[in-house]
Amino acid sequence: MVPLIGLVLGVAALQPADVPKLDVPAAIRALETQQVYRAPGVVTHIDVDVVKREMGPDTKLLIAPFEQGYKDEEHYEQVSEPLKKWADARKVRLITVEGLYTRWGPSTLPELRQQTAYMDITGPALASVREINRVPVGRAYPAYQVLAPTQAQVTDLAGKLRQDRVYNAPGRADRFTLSTKTIQQKTGLTIRVAALPALNPGEPFVDYAPALAREFPDDIVLVAQGYWVEVAGKDKERIDSARNYAFGRYEIGTFSKGGTVDGRVATILTRLDELSRRKPFGRPQPETYDPARTIARYTPLAWGGSAVVLGGGALTGFALRRRRRQQREEAALRKAKAKAYARISELGTAVAGHGSPEAAERYTTARDLFEQAHTAEAMAEVERIADEGLALL
């Protein structure tokens, strides 16, 4: 059976082509005079006033659109490295947010839901500021209410899903387009999908899925709000596991490059199909990544805000040479890390579409070693393992 995800670009699918790339020279010019610069094409929300209150005078924040259109190390060479060179030359600490991705990520499901349902980067940006200030991160993500829908809301949305198994709400730019009939033919799963717009800051999160599942007891109900997908139906534990797997395994690509509701739902259903029909634990499997444990674990600090602050005073020749050697090693590590990250992301997307156990094993190994690698040479080995996986597909 062909994996359903093969029908779409996958969870790391890029945003539409009309989303602009970051104009790096323009961003640098703006940051020369502004502490915070929001580039054209940004679709995420951030409470700039809240974040700025904790930013030191030597800290800058760049809010950029989703990364797209780069191959391998091109992003490092065209975006990451120029920004870091500028920050080092100006002796500022630069925090860069691209799409939903920054140096700090969600560590719990409520944080993940808040960031993706609201498309809100206030929490990770504020956590990044506190991290570089070397103060406790504490509670950085904004609090929000979680409410059950009213009966009128359930009746209205259930009525739309009775007319059509797919409902794309007004204001939802990223529409669900997959055929529910094809999904049923490929997986045996009957689904109903409500694709709703991202929530505005301050709005409560209305948890529609459980109530809708009671209206459609024979179906799996998926409710997308922003990038978040809530799921409900029979065998809730298995359905939740499939959703968590999709977000945990493909978080890096989704947060940095953007994605589609088609890709996210396809990944969830493919995993649910595996759990339900293919007995995925009958042979050794790649590690399942639970976002509550690992969503931030593998996020690479490839650039921005992590430069060493050099102390003043006279330095001996030995100390100066040692510092320069360390700088060269750090630069080499950053470049090797960016290249390894690009290969791992590429392999992860490819594995989802091909289902090769050997390639999946290389993917898992590369991700595990990525966390442990602290030299350019070790990162090169991680990249080599990811290349082996790609060669197997």
Side-chain angles (χ1 to χ4, degrees):
M1 183 178 296
V2 178
L4 177 64
I5 198 171
L7 298 176
V8 295
L9 291 176
V11 89
L14 297 180
Q15 290 291 310
D18 59 351
V19 175
K21 281 187 178 181
L22 174 66
D23 185 334
V24 176
I28 289 174
R29 289 194 298 271
L31 290 168
E32 290 282 359
T33 58
Q34 303 174 34
Q35 190 172 29
V36 177
Y37 174 61
R38 183 185 178 97
V42 171
V43 297
T44 50
H45 168 77
I46 181 171
D47 191 331
V48 173
D49 291 337
V50 167
V51 178
K52 282 184 69 175
R53 278 200 293 268
E54 299 192 30
M55 292 173 61
D58 62 342
T59 303
K60 303 272 188 175
L61 174 62
L62 170 60
I63 308 165
F66 284 103
E67 170 196 332
Q68 63 164 343
Y70 297 98
K71 296 181 180 178
D72 300 335
E73 66 272 15
E74 284 183 355
H75 181 270
Y76 175 85
E77 294 173 350
Q78 298 176 22
V79 179
S80 307
E81 186 66 6
L83 288 172
K84 186 182 185 306
K85 285 182 178 179
W86 172 82
D88 288 347
R90 293 295 187 272
K91 293 183 171 55
V92 299
R93 300 182 297 179
L94 177 62
I95 298 172
T96 302
V97 179
E98 287 186 284
L100 288 168
Y101 172 78
T102 189
R103 60 187 295 138
W104 191 276
S107 58
T108 66
L109 281 175
E111 289 180 351
L112 172 64
R113 180 169 62 187
Q114 189 276 333
Q115 188 167 338
T116 53
Y118 291 77
M119 300 294 284
D120 187 359
I121 56 173
T122 304
L126 185 58
S128 299
V129 170
R130 291 175 181 173
E131 182 189 30
I132 66 172
N133 288 342
R134 299 191 177 186
V135 300
V137 171
R139 186 173 181 173
Y141 281 73
Y144 61 99
Q145 279 186 298
V146 179
L147 302 177
T150 65
Q151 186 56 53
Q153 289 174 315
V154 174
T155 300
D156 177 63
L157 193 50
K160 292 179 170 65
L161 290 174
R162 284 194 177 91
Q163 293 176 4
D164 193 321
R165 286 183 172 271
V166 175
Y167 172 63
N168 289 295
R172 174 84 195 196
D174 173 24
R175 299 169 64 83
F176 184 79
T177 64
L178 298 182
S179 164
T180 59
K181 182 178 180 180
T182 300
I183 290 170
Q184 183 176 2
Q185 290 172 345
K186 285 185 169 291
T187 66
L189 302 172
T190 58
I191 68 168
R192 296 181 192 264
V193 180
L196 310 179
L199 294 165
N200 295 315
E203 289 183 334
F205 177 88
V206 179
D207 191 5
Y208 289 101
L212 290 173
R214 290 191 290 270
E215 296 286 324
F216 306 104
D218 295 327
D219 299 326
I220 296 167
V221 174
L222 303 102
V223 181
Q225 299 189 62
Y227 271 26
W228 179 249
V229 180
E230 197 62 66
V231 291
K234 291 182 293 187
D235 199 351
K236 176 175 171 52
E237 183 176 348
R238 187 172 296 183
I239 295 172
D240 284 345
S241 175
R243 190 272 313 282
N244 294 351
Y245 170 91
F247 274 95
R249 189 163 188 180
Y250 297 101
E251 175 265 342
I252 291 176
T254 300
F255 276 25
S256 63
K257 297 178 182 298
T260 65
V261 66
D262 284 354
R264 286 185 289 281
V265 170
T267 307
I268 293 168
L269 296 179
T270 297
R271 181 59 176 175
L272 182 58
D273 183 37
E274 291 172 349
L275 292 174
S276 303
R277 300 174 57 175
R278 301 185 189 184
K279 299 182 180 179
F281 304 113
R283 57 176 172 77
Q285 291 291 305
E287 179 184 351
T288 296
Y289 295 94
D290 183 343
R293 294 185 295 109
T294 61
I295 240 178
R297 181 179 169 199
Y298 291 102
T299 303
L301 297 178
W303 75 89
S306 59
V308 175
V309 179
L310 302 175
L315 295 173
T316 64
F318 172 78
L320 181 60
R321 287 192 296 274
R322 181 177 61 184
R323 188 181 75 186
R324 288 174 176 169
R325 183 178 65 253
Q326 289 173 339
Q327 289 175 329
R328 288 195 298 270
E329 290 172 351
E330 289 167 0
L333 175 58
R334 284 192 299 272
K335 186 170 184 178
K337 180 178 282 189
K339 293 174 67 177
Y341 157 60
R343 280 289 192 270
I344 291 172
S345 297
E346 183 180 355
L347 177 58
T349 302
V351 164
H354 292 79
S356 164
E358 294 83 4
E361 182 274 331
R362 298 296 196 283
Y363 174 69
T364 302
T365 301
R367 288 194 67 157
D368 288 343
L369 293 180
F370 182 90
E371 182 192 22
Q372 302 168 25
H374 299 295
T375 66
E377 291 77 12
M379 280 296 171
E381 177 65 13
V382 173
E383 183 184 1
R384 184 189 66 78
I385 293 170
D387 282 337
E388 287 182 356
L390 288 167
L392 291 168
L393 298 173

